[in-house]
Amino acid sequence: MIEDRNFDDLAQKFAKNIYGTAKGQIRQTVVWQDLEQILALLEADAPLHILDAGGGIGQLSQKIAELGHRVTLCDLSGEMLKLAEQEIAKNGLLEQYRLVHSSVQDIGEHMSEPADLVLFHAVMEWLSDPKDALERLLAQTKPGGIISVMFYNYNGLLFKNLICGNLTHIEEGMPHRKRFKLQPQQGIKPEDVYSWLTDAGFSILGKTGVRTFHDYMQTTMVGDYSFEQVLEMEQKLCRQEPYLSLGRYIHVYARKPLDQETVFGGEETSNDNRNKDNG
């Protein structure tokens, strides 16, 4: 049975392996392009409130904080939060951050207002109930706000096993191999995530495949290429089908309607009612 993963035991290794690699650089580059589009759509006159849910060391939210926005970052791992605090302090951004030791499912208990932008990146695949966690974060999104979701793609996991000849593993349902501690516990089907968003009334604004071919390249192949060429080609293909749907991860972002109710601080409040109370 899948249980929610806490990275207290692997925080240092996780940060190094995820962020300090070619894989991490491709991921950061293509997702940041989307976030720039999202920030332009939000058109803020004042600093935005960003919720970085399960944010790890906050690599991308720090880039947003550098633009003057304020960030609430939560993580289940206290060790990961310590690393985040060190990185954020090193970059001179601590004043713009609130660090919360909390699971993403319980972050509503620590929120006094909804977020303009919610980041939920590479967390769902580590959870026992990814749909429930997503729905709780949709409730923490401000009406008119946007949620940015990146998840480990079931299609990419299946394709990788196919081309590696792991057919018996596929027939067994691709159970998580515990010896690969940094491999996500499960792949998430894109159609499920898209329907969870739209069923909640959110409008999907964009989709991007993250590492559409890099992870399928054979390390022993003889080819004429540089990492810069790989990165450029990934950026060229990542929003086109069929490559998008084969990404090892998929990034999708969606907007909450202005007239939809939101939940924060344990209370449900409609946008209209807030306006009346403030009037």
Side-chain angles (χ1 to χ4, degrees):
M1 180 179 176
I2 294 174
E3 298 180 355
D4 290 2
R5 184 67 162 91
N6 184 320
F7 284 98
D8 274 346
D9 58 331
L10 288 171
Q12 293 277 357
K13 185 176 181 181
F14 186 89
K16 179 180 178 181
N17 284 29
I18 298 301
Y19 301 117
T21 62
K23 289 182 178 182
Q25 190 172 340
I26 294 169
R27 175 165 135 179
Q28 298 291 98
T29 299
V30 298
V31 175
W32 178 247
Q33 288 180 321
D34 286 348
L35 290 176
E36 287 182 314
Q37 293 294 318
I38 290 169
L39 293 171
L41 288 169
L42 289 171
E43 296 180 334
D45 295 327
L48 297 169
H49 177 208
I50 314 300
L51 170 60
D52 195 355
I57 63 174
Q59 288 284 92
L60 286 173
S61 66
Q62 287 187 62
K63 290 172 71 71
I64 298 175
E66 287 173 355
L67 300 176
H69 304 296
R70 54 194 177 91
V71 182
T72 297
L73 185 152
C74 76
D75 205 284
L76 181 63
S77 168
E79 291 301 313
M80 195 68 80
L81 277 181
K82 290 178 184 176
L83 286 179
E85 185 172 18
Q86 292 169 12
E87 288 294 313
I88 293 165
K90 186 171 68 176
N91 294 323
L93 297 168
L94 266 182
E95 288 186 1
Q96 289 167 250
Y97 267 82
R98 183 169 69 105
L99 300 176
V100 181
H101 189 194
S102 167
S103 67
V104 297
Q105 295 94 329
D106 294 332
I107 189 57
E109 299 174 10
H110 305 275
M111 299 283 284
S112 60
E113 61 178 356
D116 298 286
L117 170 61
V118 176
L119 308 182
F120 191 34
H121 293 173
V123 179
M124 296 175 74
E125 55 270 16
W126 297 102
L127 302 178
S128 61
D129 191 343
K131 180 184 179 184
D132 174 69
L134 177 63
E135 288 175 344
R136 289 172 185 258
L137 292 175
L138 297 179
Q140 301 303 324
T141 308
K142 180 180 180 179
I146 294 174
I147 188 164
S148 161
V149 182
M150 184 175 69
F151 58 92
Y152 191 57
N153 179 19
Y154 175 87
N155 295 335
L157 177 61
L158 176 60
F159 190 61
K160 179 68 171 179
N161 278 288
L162 284 169
I163 62 176
C164 289
N166 296 328
L167 303 190
T168 300
H169 183 59
I170 293 171
E171 290 170 352
E172 292 171 347
M174 298 190 296
H176 180 242
R177 292 166 168 171
K178 292 185 178 180
R179 67 181 183 273
F180 301 132
K181 292 185 178 181
L182 292 181
Q183 180 181 341
Q185 297 177 158
Q186 61 184 322
I188 309 292
K189 293 183 177 179
E191 59 269 25
D192 288 344
V193 179
Y194 303 155
S195 66
W196 296 340
L197 290 168
T198 56
D199 288 350
F202 281 60
S203 300
I204 293 176
L205 303 176
K207 302 171 185 174
T208 297
V210 180
R211 303 201 308 269
T212 61
F213 70 88
H214 171 272
D215 293 17
Y216 307 119
M217 298 172 75
Q218 300 299 314
T219 55
T220 56
M221 70 169 53
V222 177
D224 180 17
Y225 66 89
S226 65
F227 173 72
E228 289 72 25
Q229 287 175 301
V230 171
L231 182 58
E232 183 178 352
M233 191 65 71
E234 285 283 1
Q235 293 176 80
K236 182 178 180 180
L237 299 177
C238 65
R239 296 172 186 90
Q240 300 177 33
E241 293 291 3
Y243 316 105
L244 188 166
S245 292
L246 287 176
R248 294 311 301 279
Y249 288 80
I250 289 179
H251 179 235
V252 55
Y253 50 103
R255 188 166 222 155
K256 189 171 192 172
L258 278 168
D259 59 354
Q260 188 171 338
E261 292 181 337
T262 190
V263 178
F264 60 97
E267 298 180 357
E268 186 172 285
T269 311
S270 72
N271 198 39
D272 291 341
N273 287 339
R274 283 203 310 279
N275 290 339
K276 290 175 183 175
D277 291 342
N278 292 337

